């Protein structure tokens, strides 16, 4: 688990192992926390949080969280809220396809070049959201 | 058995967003799902959906042999499946197979995998298939 200051904004994707949207959202979230906003953002294993790991729940309690879901069940958003996180943005991977209708983005196992491009666009959008919430401060 | 006469086996991988073992466990699970194993039908389940109350998913894990694949020693997939659906038929833990220092730290995107980490994916996939064979032997 990455060590985080309480100010960091959490970007938490659904586990989404069965569909391409899950993989795309996960890769976008990882790019955001690892490459684009490593000083402002962090992630956490959703399953660890849902399972009730005390350390994980303590870390997320009241923290600003951006969830990224791959399907309409919105497991990440619902579970993060249930675990005590403050979900400030609910992002759906499918919405990143608005300008890419009909594109072959890949499968649940791998993304095509077009899929990676969409993931990068989604990551840029997530980074902007992280900036907004990070800069807004704790009271927002 | 499913309607095609194949043995259905559930594969439940940890979500593992925050550790390299999670990415490796997911990729290994995907590899097994895509593998051609005559006589078997592999099914995967999103772990947080399963944990958060997906009755269909819980019933599947109760009724069919299920293998959990965990990326770290916290074993979220194993513990959750046993708590919600009963004993699993097989388990694989990446950190039992690969020393933690070789796995690395932090998050791991799929396109960042080193040659060594790709070999780990193959190793974990082979371990899952060993569990499949064990289930077959033990009926």
């Amino acid at each position: 688990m990455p060590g985080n200051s309480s100010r960091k904004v959490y970007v938490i994707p659904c586990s989404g192992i069965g569909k391409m949207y899950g993989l795309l959202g996960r890769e976008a979230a990882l790019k955001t926390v690892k490459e684009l906003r490593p000083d402002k953002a962090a992630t956490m294993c959703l399953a660890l949080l849902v399972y009730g790991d005390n350390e994980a729940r303590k870390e997320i309690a009241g923290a600003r969280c951006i969830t990224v879901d791959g399907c309409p069940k919105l497991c990440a958003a619902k579970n993060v809220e249930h675990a005590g996180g403050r979900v400030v943005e609910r992002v759906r991977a499918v919405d990143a396809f608005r300008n890419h209708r009909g594109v072959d983005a890949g499968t649940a196992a791998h993304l095509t070049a077009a899929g990676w491009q969409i993931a990068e666009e989604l990551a840029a959008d997530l980074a902007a959201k992280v900036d907004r919430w990070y800069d807004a401060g704790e009271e927002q | 058995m499913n309607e095609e006469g194949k043995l259905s086996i559930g594969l439940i991988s940890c979500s593992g967003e925050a550790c390299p073992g999670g990415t490796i466990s997911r990729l290994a699970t995907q590899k097994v799902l895509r593998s051609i194993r005559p006589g078997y039908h592999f099914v995967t389940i999103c772990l947080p959906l399963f944990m958060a109350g997906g009755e269909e998913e819980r019933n599947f894990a109760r009724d069919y042999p299920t293998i959990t694949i965990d990326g770290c020693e916290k074993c979220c997939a194993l513990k959750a499946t046993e708590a919600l659906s009963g004993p699993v038929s097989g388990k694989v833990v990446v950190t039992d197979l690969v020393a933690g220092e070789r796995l690395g730290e932090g998050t791991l995107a799929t396109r960042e995998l080193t040659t060594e980490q790709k070999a780990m994916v193959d190793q974990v996939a082979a371990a899952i298939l060993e569990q499949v064979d064990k289930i077959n032997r033990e009926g």
Side-chain angles (χ1 to χ4, degrees):
Chain A
M1 193 63 53
N4 305 303
S5 75
S6 59
R7 272 203 80 194
K8 279 195 174 181
V9 177
Y10 285 84
V11 182
I12 303 179
C14 73
S15 81
I17 193 168
K19 294 183 180 68
M20 173 273 294
Y21 293 112
L23 174 62
L24 192 141
R26 175 187 170 93
E27 292 295 344
L30 295 184
K31 184 173 179 70
T32 305
V33 303
K34 215 175 163 166
E35 296 176 32
L36 302 182
R37 297 293 183 272
D39 298 330
K40 296 181 177 179
T43 192
M44 178 176 283
C45 296
L46 184 60
L48 182 64
L49 197 59
V50 176
Y51 190 65
D53 179 85
N54 285 337
E55 192 184 337
R57 289 203 167 205
K58 196 172 167 186
E59 192 171 326
I60 212 80
R64 293 157 298 175
C65 301
I66 297 169
T67 54
V68 187
D69 275 295
C71 87
K73 295 189 176 178
L74 300 178
C75 289
K78 291 175 185 171
N79 285 314
V80 168
E81 275 176 0
H82 184 70
R86 187 154 62 97
V87 178
V88 293
E89 303 266 3
R90 292 176 170 216
V91 175
R92 302 184 316 162
V94 68
D95 291 337
F97 282 74
R98 278 193 187 125
N99 299 322
H100 301 277
R101 294 193 193 281
V103 164
D104 174 13
T107 67
H110 76 277
L111 299 179
T112 61
W116 280 111
Q117 184 192 332
I118 297 168
E120 291 186 6
E121 289 173 11
L122 178 56
D125 179 54
L126 291 171
K129 286 178 166 56
V130 167
D131 287 342
R132 193 180 313 145
W133 287 101
Y134 186 89
D135 296 341
E138 290 297 321
E139 70 282 1
Q140 295 295 313
Chain B
M1 293 286 176
N2 70 1
E3 56 196 25
E4 295 169 345
K6 294 181 176 180
L7 176 62
S8 290
I9 294 184
L11 303 176
I12 303 182
S13 170
C14 79
S15 70
E17 286 85 11
C19 69
T23 298
I24 288 167
S25 67
R26 290 165 60 91
L27 289 172
T29 301
Q30 290 283 3
K31 194 176 178 87
V32 173
L33 284 169
R34 296 193 313 276
S35 68
I36 297 170
R37 294 276 287 192
Y40 294 102
H41 175 238
F42 296 120
V43 176
T44 189
I45 297 171
C46 291
L47 183 58
L49 173 63
F50 172 77
M51 292 161 79
E55 273 309 308
E56 194 179 334
E57 288 77 9
R58 290 183 187 183
N59 287 338
F60 180 90
R62 208 171 282 138
D63 296 341
Y64 292 93
T66 295
I67 299 167
T68 55
I69 304 97
D70 277 296
C72 81
E73 66 285 351
K74 292 188 184 248
C75 293
C76 294
L78 173 64
K79 289 176 184 170
T81 307
E82 291 198 328
L84 298 170
S85 295
V88 300
S89 299
K91 61 174 181 173
V92 173
V93 183
V94 174
T95 47
D96 286 350
L97 301 170
V98 182
E101 61 270 19
R102 283 179 58 213
L103 277 172
E105 288 184 353
T107 59
L108 178 63
T110 54
R111 61 179 167 183
E112 295 173 332
L113 262 72
T114 63
T115 303
E116 188 183 14
Q117 286 166 327
K118 286 177 184 168
M120 292 174 194
V121 171
D122 292 340
Q123 186 183 354
V124 174
I128 298 169
L129 289 171
E130 275 178 28
Q131 296 295 310
V132 169
D133 290 337
K134 185 174 89 97
I135 290 168
N136 188 28
R137 281 197 306 273
E138 295 173 357

